[in-house]
Amino acid sequence: MSSVPLVSSASLVFVAILVGAVLPFVPLVGRVARIAATIAHEVGHAVVVVPFGGQIRRIELRPDGSGEAWVQLGGVPVGLRGLVRVLNLYAGYSAPLWAGTLLLTGVLHGSRWLPVAVLGVVGIVALLFIRNWFGLLVVVGFDALALWVALRPSELTVLVVAAVGALFVVDGLRSVVQVARWLLTGARVQTDFHIAADEMRVPAAVWFVLFVAVNGLAVWLARVPLLDVWDTIAAGVRGLF
């Protein structure tokens, strides 16, 4: 995959980023695009438990853009189960944000293999554990994209990865803001935070505030490379206008 300066028109990369950022808000098209972010969300739930001895049971994706991942924590040491349960809770909403950031970082720094690794991990895990026909069709399409990026790198794949990265980040932020709105209005919904509240008797709002704090700390720790990516995108977008 080429670095940004080697693309025939570097401004096209920033156009692709803008297109990806807008997609979640486009009627009908946005719902389809958001399913890609849902794949990352559900895979995030699943993979975080494996290093601790947990198991992935199944993943489902639905036409309305929602999804669900079932994991089993029986193999996790008893003393770590509470921590792993919280990590599993937070990984869902965090995964699209950080996956998108890595995709954009790979594009802007000319890394071919970072986007391939991100798309590959998400695609392979989803394919292995998807258990419904709609989800399988979507994941096969996602994996085809990952293979294309890996095997046929070109200026076009740079643009596609840039758009997908922006889509992941913006839709991840959209989802977090939506949850905050639901919590403030007391809407009857079943988010990861509400599920955790039912299981561990801690209010969903508390879980959400802790989620924001944990991700805020992660952003602060990674602030140098993140600011570099942000400055590059901001400068490129300003250059378009």
Side-chain angles (χ1 to χ4, degrees):
M1 184 177 295
S2 303
S3 62
V4 170
L6 296 180
V7 178
S8 57
S9 176
S11 62
L12 288 178
V13 173
F14 301 106
V15 171
I17 289 172
L18 286 176
V19 170
V22 169
L23 274 180
F25 307 102
V26 177
L28 297 180
V29 176
R31 174 175 291 184
V32 175
R34 289 199 299 269
I35 294 176
T38 301
I39 296 174
H41 178 113
E42 301 306 336
V43 168
H45 276 311
V47 299
V48 74
V49 305
V50 173
F52 298 94
Q55 294 181 328
I56 306 169
R57 299 300 300 273
R58 60 185 288 154
I59 295 173
E60 285 191 4
L61 299 172
R62 305 185 184 100
D64 64 358
S66 65
E68 194 166 1
W70 285 265
V71 298
Q72 189 173 38
L73 303 183
V76 178
V78 175
L80 293 177
R81 285 183 190 172
L83 172 62
V84 174
R85 182 66 188 89
V86 173
L87 289 176
N88 178 47
L89 160 67
Y90 288 166
Y93 282 98
S94 300
L97 293 169
W98 292 103
T101 299
L102 289 174
L103 291 176
L104 290 172
T105 301
V107 166
L108 297 177
H109 286 84
S111 169
R112 173 184 175 184
W113 294 109
L114 181 56
V116 169
V118 173
L119 294 175
V121 168
V122 174
I124 290 171
V125 172
L127 186 62
L128 288 175
F129 295 98
I130 199 73
R131 292 294 182 268
N132 65 317
W133 283 107
F134 173 79
L136 181 62
L137 291 173
V138 172
V139 169
V140 166
F142 187 92
D143 285 354
L145 169 65
L147 282 173
W148 177 48
V149 172
L151 301 178
R152 304 284 293 180
S154 66
E155 294 177 356
L156 182 56
T157 60
V158 171
L159 301 179
V160 171
V161 170
V164 172
L167 164 68
F168 277 9
V169 172
V170 172
D171 191 64
L173 290 172
R174 182 199 62 81
S175 297
V176 171
V177 170
Q178 185 177 56
V179 172
R181 187 183 302 117
W182 284 334
L183 290 171
L184 288 172
T185 60
R188 288 175 163 267
V189 293
Q190 191 75 340
T191 69
D192 296 336
F193 306 102
H194 292 83
I195 294 171
D198 291 339
E199 291 182 0
M200 293 182 272
R201 307 304 181 191
V202 176
V206 174
W207 288 121
F208 180 80
V209 170
L210 290 174
F211 164 83
V212 173
V214 168
N215 277 277
L217 176 62
V219 168
W220 184 82
L221 293 173
R223 63 192 180 280
V224 174
L226 290 178
L227 283 173
D228 182 43
V229 170
W230 172 256
D231 289 343
T232 302
I233 294 174
V237 172
R238 284 196 300 269
L240 293 176
F241 301 99

